Amino acid sequence: MSWEVSDKAQPLALLTDCPAKRPSVQKAEDSRTVIASGDSDYRYAEQVVIMSSPAAAQQVMRGLRAGAASCATKRLAVKTAPAGKLGDEAFTFSAQNVSKHSLGGAERAVVVRKGSAVLVYSEFTAYGKIGKHDFTKPLADARAMAPRLCQAAGEC
């Protein structure tokens, strides 16, 4: 595994197959991105972005949902669903490359907003059908981190 840590405002670690659909976080007040990757078959990312206000963070969440919806095609199956009681709002995201004969790369993520903070846990694998069990690690990580978002954003 290799690790990369960055404090630069960079695109959200989500919508890998549709990067043009990611909302901008260039005006983020603070951010941290940690990416662990193995070979070309696996990547796990954790990202926290602190926006200037809860309204700006809500706009990022709306942009992520809209971007996910607009990425869906016949070759890319995209789903979002509420993620329960995590922060002020949260959802799960999945994208699966599909063809008539096989399944390709799959991305799954949990996205949480609490106040002006947005948290993304995103996992990408090069193969395999997405199931509920695929959200176990991102959901567990999000549940552990969500209470700390108030401290990170300096509010709540």
Side-chain angles (χ1 to χ4, degrees), residues 2-142:
S2 64
W3 291 85
E4 178 185 330
V5 179
S6 174
D7 291 335
K8 295 178 185 175
Q10 56 184 301
L12 290 164
L14 189 60
L15 302 175
T16 302
D17 288 325
C18 206
K21 303 295 183 179
R22 289 184 273 210
S24 174
V25 292
Q26 289 300 314
K27 294 183 180 178
E29 291 189 347
D30 201 1
S31 69
R32 164 78 44 106
T33 303
V34 179
I35 298 174
S37 55
D39 50 27
S40 62
D41 292 349
Y42 182 79
R43 185 194 77 213
Y44 192 79
E46 172 184 347
Q47 187 170 36
V48 177
V49 176
I50 310 298
M51 298 305 291
S52 60
S53 68
Q58 285 175 320
Q59 185 175 355
V60 169
M61 295 291 280
R62 280 192 301 274
L64 282 171
R65 283 189 183 99
S70 67
C71 281
T73 66
K74 287 182 181 180
R75 297 196 55 152
L76 185 65
V78 178
K79 296 179 185 175
T80 61
K85 298 185 184 225
L86 288 169
D88 296 326
E89 60 181 312
F91 67 93
T92 60
F93 163 86
S94 64
Q96 176 84 59
N97 288 304
V98 294
S99 73
K100 271 186 175 178
H101 306 289
S102 67
L103 295 173
E107 182 176 10
R108 78 274 301 147
V110 176
V111 184
V112 178
R113 181 190 67 82
K114 191 162 191 176
S116 61
V118 177
L119 170 69
V120 178
Y121 282 99
S122 175
E123 188 171 33
F124 177 84
T125 56
Y127 51 85
K129 183 175 181 176
I130 295 175
K132 285 190 175 191
H133 65 280
D134 287 310
F135 291 95
T136 303
K137 180 172 177 34
L139 277 169
D141 289 344

